[in-house]
Amino acid sequence: MKKAAEAARHIWANWQAGETLRELPAGCRPSTPLEGYAAQAQLPEISGRSVLGWKLAATSAVGQAHIQVAGPLAGRLLSGKVFADGAALSLFGNRMRVAEPEFAFLMGRDLPPRETAYSQDEVMAAVADLHLGLEAPDSRFAVFEKAGEAQLIADNACAGQYVLGPAAPPVWRAIDLSRHAVTGKVLTARGDCWTRDGVGAAVLGDPRVALTWLANRLSSLGLTLKEGEIITTGTCMTPLEIGPGDAVEADYGVLGQVRLSFLTEE
């Protein structure tokens, strides 16, 4: 516990200061995913923030290859890091400089730990709503691509800031989310506008599959996926490159839109 708390203190201090680490000190550096999650679990107490839900990272083969991990990573959505639709965010300390359109699920009831795996049908039956979201991820490691799985998990799975958009209309339950198209649009500070297309299948083949993966990963860690928590399932397209003064919109067609902008001052 002492080692995990020390790792969390280093992560949070650098997060607040907008600074980076080459790596965590040897005395508290996690060497396995379980040690990484143990360090991450200390972040709420160290930061004084509450947990609003969970985020997934590396939910595509491309994303996993980029940060050299074998599978998805889970991180906590902390209070003070989640914003309303249309929020203007600061890029202070952010070196990733991307925005990621994501499908997010609001849980309607608890899924506590158990010995048998949850099926996708069981998990989806526990969902209250689908929301639209945009994440501006970041890492506390200067070369996050080489930090390794254990350290990236301790780093809260590259959590940065998250904009939670509106709830989608009820028709979302009848839609094949794996085939649902999303368009990301960036209006730059220079006045240029460009777009990029994505699809739900970019998220572990289906955002519902990603949510089910999280429910079972938390169960294996002895954790409950709780009623009222938001789970954002990872980017459904190649991340959108952004900079100060840019504005971003993610258009989910019949499901709605979500927007954010970035301050000109970092």
Side-chain angles (χ1 to χ4, degrees):
M1 187 68 71
K2 182 178 179 181
K3 175 181 175 180
E6 185 64 18
R9 276 191 284 271
H10 281 283
I11 293 294
W12 184 247
N14 280 271
W15 196 344
Q16 293 300 96
E19 298 175 349
T20 56
L21 296 156
R22 186 177 69 85
E23 59 186 355
L24 286 165
C28 66
R29 189 183 311 145
S31 58
T32 67
L34 287 179
E35 289 183 357
Y37 281 116
Q40 184 191 120
Q42 297 297 309
L43 279 174
E45 181 175 355
I46 296 296
S47 66
R49 307 295 178 95
S50 57
V51 178
L52 302 181
W54 296 84
K55 63 147 290 180
L56 296 182
T59 50
S60 71
V62 172
Q64 291 163 17
H66 181 56
I67 60 174
Q68 301 181 41
V69 297
L73 311 178
R76 288 160 165 85
L77 290 177
L78 299 176
S79 60
K81 300 296 183 180
V82 178
F83 303 86
D85 187 20
L89 307 182
S90 170
L91 282 170
F92 170 74
N94 188 302
R95 277 156 292 276
M96 284 191 172
R97 302 296 174 104
V98 294
E100 300 180 340
E102 306 193 0
F103 293 90
F105 296 98
L106 173 66
M107 300 307 298
R109 62 177 176 81
D110 289 359
L111 292 176
R114 70 183 197 187
E115 291 186 3
T116 57
Y118 285 102
S119 69
Q120 183 173 304
D121 286 346
E122 287 178 301
V123 172
M124 294 310 299
V127 170
D129 285 303
L130 172 71
H131 283 254
L132 316 176
L134 281 164
E135 185 181 16
D138 198 18
S139 175
R140 274 46 68 179
F141 291 101
V143 187
F144 62 89
E145 302 92 337
K146 297 182 179 180
E149 183 174 4
Q151 289 197 113
L152 290 176
I153 292 170
D155 189 30
N156 209 20
C158 300
Q161 300 175 96
Y162 187 74
V163 169
L164 180 64
V171 69
W172 74 266
R173 287 194 183 269
I175 291 175
D176 182 353
L177 296 181
S178 72
R179 301 177 65 181
H180 193 74
V182 182
T183 299
K185 181 170 71 175
V186 178
L187 177 62
T188 73
R190 301 183 304 275
D192 304 323
C193 183
W194 58 274
T195 63
R196 180 171 293 156
D197 294 329
V199 67
V203 186
L204 280 184
D206 189 317
R208 296 166 295 191
V209 170
L211 178 63
T212 305
W213 177 90
L214 177 70
N216 287 311
R217 187 68 179 106
L218 295 186
S219 179
S220 75
L221 295 170
L223 300 173
T224 296
L225 188 52
K226 297 178 181 178
E227 177 185 356
E229 289 186 333
I230 284 287
I231 295 82
T232 183
T233 54
T235 185
C236 56
M237 66 179 62
T238 300
L240 303 165
E241 301 85 2
I242 50 82
D246 290 355
V248 180
E249 177 186 275
D251 186 348
Y252 294 75
V254 297
L255 299 182
Q257 297 80 36
V258 58
R259 300 172 178 86
L260 63 77
S261 61
F262 293 98
L263 302 173
T264 54
E265 297 293 330
E266 299 181 35

